[in-house]
Amino acid sequence: MASTDTTVFFSMADKYLMKTGVPFSPLIVKKAKGTRLYDVNDRQILDFTSGQMSSLLGHSHPEIVEVVQKYVAELDHLLSNMITYPVVELAERLSRFLPAPLEKSFFLNTGSEVTEAAIKIAKCYTGKFEIVAFAASYHGLTQGSGSATYSAGRKSGGPCMPGQLAFPAPYAYRSPFRKPDGSYDWEAEMDFGWSMIDRQSVGSLAAFIMEPILSTGGILELPAGYLQRMSLECKKRGMLIIMDEAQTGVGRTGQMFACEKDGIVPDILALSKTLGCGLPLASVSTTAEIERGCTEAGFLWLTTHLNDPLTAAVGSKVLEIVERDNICQRAAERGAQLRDGLLKLQEKYWCIGDVRGRGLLQGIEIISDAETKTPGPGLGQAVSDRAMAGGLSCNIVNLPGMGGVFRLAPPVTVTTEEIEDGLKILDEAFGYVLNERSNWAV
């Protein structure tokens, strides 16, 4: 495509597309295949974000394409109360992976939808209305899920849902809670958090919604023992636990669900993104007991695309491939390779303050001062831009109150060679930016 055509393209985008607060990428992608994007000039770009953190098995996986072609031609969409073989098959297949006693599921389109549904389930079952979430949370931007989101999107939307309470996010690199030896004191931080919740609550605590690794919040992994303690505190207060595994579920972290590492079984589990491998599919799962209580209370959830057959067939195929191809093991192996490479970059470049994450969900936090650990969002953005110019798409999160944090989440089908290629591009990008901008603090 000629440059003049590119200019026309963005002129039309500015004229006809409403801005939603997310700046348009200067990259125009015309094809996505496997781990690679192809722009209008046929330049290849390694995709280390899996699209919107969703294309677990890569773009246009041939078996997924086959399923879509079959069902778009035969059974795409029905009245919402007409359940089909693909929907029941997906529910049954998902139940094999769910930790007991989770076994009941229904299917929607997006992460916002299922966290919204999960919050309503919790309120319906408990008869209470207060929802607690981490201060660095991101659970969506619809009314209920957006009210439980504190990392972004709270401004200029009017009042949130009543009963929303924020809990300190476990941010080991920057937490002010420290033991005498300087190590992170998450127990004291949790005690403080619950003391604030107990003071603010009006006695109607329904649920705590959380991610096992806070992704948009900066790839914040919960410390060992954190979830067990959190589970006890919630039970003490009669609260349900909603686990939002939009980005961590279906094998990306090296386990089917990231919360399994700590042996915690939530009361409600929400999946999205990875379950549909880039297609709009999400699920909410709970126990037979909670389903019974909700039914007795008159629970209603009805959307146009509730339990659609086409996307359900895709989800069933995704789970089949995840099990058949040992995707969890692949994620653990390639994740270890990626993390090892990132730690070597940290040794080489002073501006990499922290490396954290699990499996193929890794984060690197950028700082602009090695002594004060001052956040370096500008430096991080410059590195991200240079990496894109070098052929690597990697997401930099620049949210208020945080440093610039790269989220690296390539498809689990990524090869060892592609991991090395991505690390080499990052290496060059850091070196280039630091050399070009020698005035960055050291």
Side-chain angles (χ1 to χ4, degrees):
M1 179 180 271
S3 60
T4 53
D5 292 332
T6 301
T7 301
V8 170
F9 173 85
F10 281 109
S11 176
M12 291 177 64
D14 285 337
K15 182 174 177 62
Y16 297 111
L17 285 177
M18 179 176 171
K19 293 179 175 61
T20 63
V22 182
F24 298 142
S25 167
L27 180 70
I28 304 176
V29 177
K30 70 172 187 179
K31 178 182 174 182
K33 184 75 173 178
T35 56
R36 307 212 175 236
L37 310 176
Y38 299 83
D39 72 5
V40 292
N41 298 310
D42 291 320
R43 186 171 71 102
Q44 292 189 28
I45 299 154
L46 269 173
D47 182 7
F48 267 33
T49 69
S50 300
Q52 189 65 32
M53 320 299 282
S54 302
S55 297
L56 181 76
L57 305 175
H59 299 282
S60 302
H61 189 287
E63 292 180 71
I64 302 298
V65 170
E66 184 179 358
V67 169
V68 171
Q69 289 174 334
K70 171 181 168 62
Y71 279 90
V72 80
E74 296 179 6
L75 186 60
D76 56 354
H77 164 75
L78 296 170
L79 194 65
S80 294
N81 69 340
M82 292 181 178
I83 57 172
T84 56
Y85 282 110
V87 170
V88 175
E89 287 167 3
L90 173 57
E92 189 276 332
R93 191 184 291 274
L94 179 58
S95 72
R96 300 183 215 164
F97 297 100
L98 293 171
L102 300 180
E103 61 178 354
K104 297 279 192 172
S105 303
F106 63 92
F107 305 100
L108 302 170
N109 292 149
T110 69
S112 289
E113 276 192 294
V114 289
T115 51
E116 191 84 36
I119 288 170
K120 184 172 181 180
I121 288 170
K123 291 179 177 180
C124 193
Y125 178 73
T126 63
K128 298 183 285 187
F129 72 93
E130 291 177 313
I131 303 294
V132 182
F134 285 127
S137 62
Y138 191 100
H139 299 292
L141 291 177
T142 54
Q143 188 65 11
S145 63
S147 297
T149 291
Y150 292 98
S151 64
R154 295 184 69 83
K155 306 299 183 185
S156 305
C160 292
M161 296 286 286
Q164 304 302 307
L165 302 173
F167 194 92
Y171 195 172
Y173 186 65
R174 295 192 179 278
S175 175
F177 289 86
R178 300 288 166 183
K179 296 178 180 178
D181 64 1
S183 61
Y184 176 38
D185 191 349
W186 65 262
E187 291 99 334
E189 184 177 57
M190 185 179 286
D191 288 341
F192 171 79
W194 280 116
S195 71
M196 294 301 294
I197 295 298
D198 290 337
R199 282 172 173 78
Q200 295 173 81
S201 172
V202 297
S204 190
L205 291 167
F208 198 129
I209 183 169
M210 67 186 77
E211 300 167 89
I213 300 173
L214 284 75
S215 179
T216 303
I219 311 295
L220 306 181
E221 186 170 10
L222 307 183
Y226 191 97
L227 273 181
Q228 288 96 333
R229 169 79 187 281
M230 181 63 76
S231 178
L232 291 173
E233 295 294 340
C234 287
K235 284 185 173 64
K236 188 189 303 181
R237 294 164 176 82
M239 301 170 65
L240 301 185
I241 291 180
I242 302 170
M243 197 64 68
D244 180 1
E245 295 234 15
Q247 297 188 32
T248 55
V250 199
R252 177 171 289 287
T253 65
Q255 292 171 291
M256 193 63 185
F257 311 113
C259 63
E260 290 181 303
K261 180 182 177 184
D262 295 282
I264 292 300
V265 178
D267 300 287
I268 306 168
L269 175 67
L271 299 175
S272 51
K273 294 185 182 287
T274 53
L275 182 62
C277 196
L279 273 75
L281 175 65
S283 68
V284 58
S285 303
T286 191
T287 68
E289 164 59 25
I290 290 176
E291 184 210 34
R292 181 197 59 75
C294 286
T295 300
E296 291 177 357
F299 174 74
L300 173 66
W301 196 271
L302 178 64
T303 68
T304 301
H305 295 286
L306 170 68
N307 292 334
D308 259 358
L310 190 156
T311 48
V314 168
S316 188
K317 177 58 70 173
V318 168
L319 294 180
E320 177 189 328
I321 295 170
V322 165
E323 182 174 31
R324 182 194 70 203
D325 294 352
N326 297 316
I327 290 300
C328 293
Q329 182 179 343
R330 284 180 60 90
E333 291 173 354
R334 294 287 72 76
Q337 177 193 0
L338 177 59
R339 186 180 186 85
D340 182 63
L342 295 176
L343 289 171
K344 289 177 181 176
L345 291 179
Q346 185 182 29
E347 294 175 0
K348 188 174 182 180
Y349 298 109
W350 61 265
C351 63
I352 299 179
D354 195 25
V355 176
R356 52 187 183 251
R358 198 189 315 166
L360 280 175
L361 183 61
Q362 296 290 326
I364 49 177
E365 178 161 347
I366 309 304
I367 56 175
S368 60
D369 189 291
E371 291 187 5
T372 64
K373 300 194 300 186
T374 302
L379 196 160
Q381 189 61 59
V383 172
S384 178
D385 293 343
R386 179 66 183 181
M388 179 67 84
L392 177 69
S393 174
C394 48
N395 179 264
I396 183 81
V397 180
N398 288 327
L399 294 174
M402 302 180 58
V405 180
F406 282 97
R407 290 188 297 171
L408 302 174
V412 182
T413 51
V414 69
T415 65
T416 56
E417 293 78 15
E418 287 170 332
I419 292 284
E420 291 306 316
D421 288 345
L423 288 167
K424 287 176 184 175
I425 294 171
L426 272 177
D427 190 356
E428 189 279 335
F430 276 105
Y432 176 86
V433 170
L434 291 177
N435 286 333
E436 287 290 306
R437 306 192 182 193
S438 56
N439 60 326
W440 290 113
V442 179

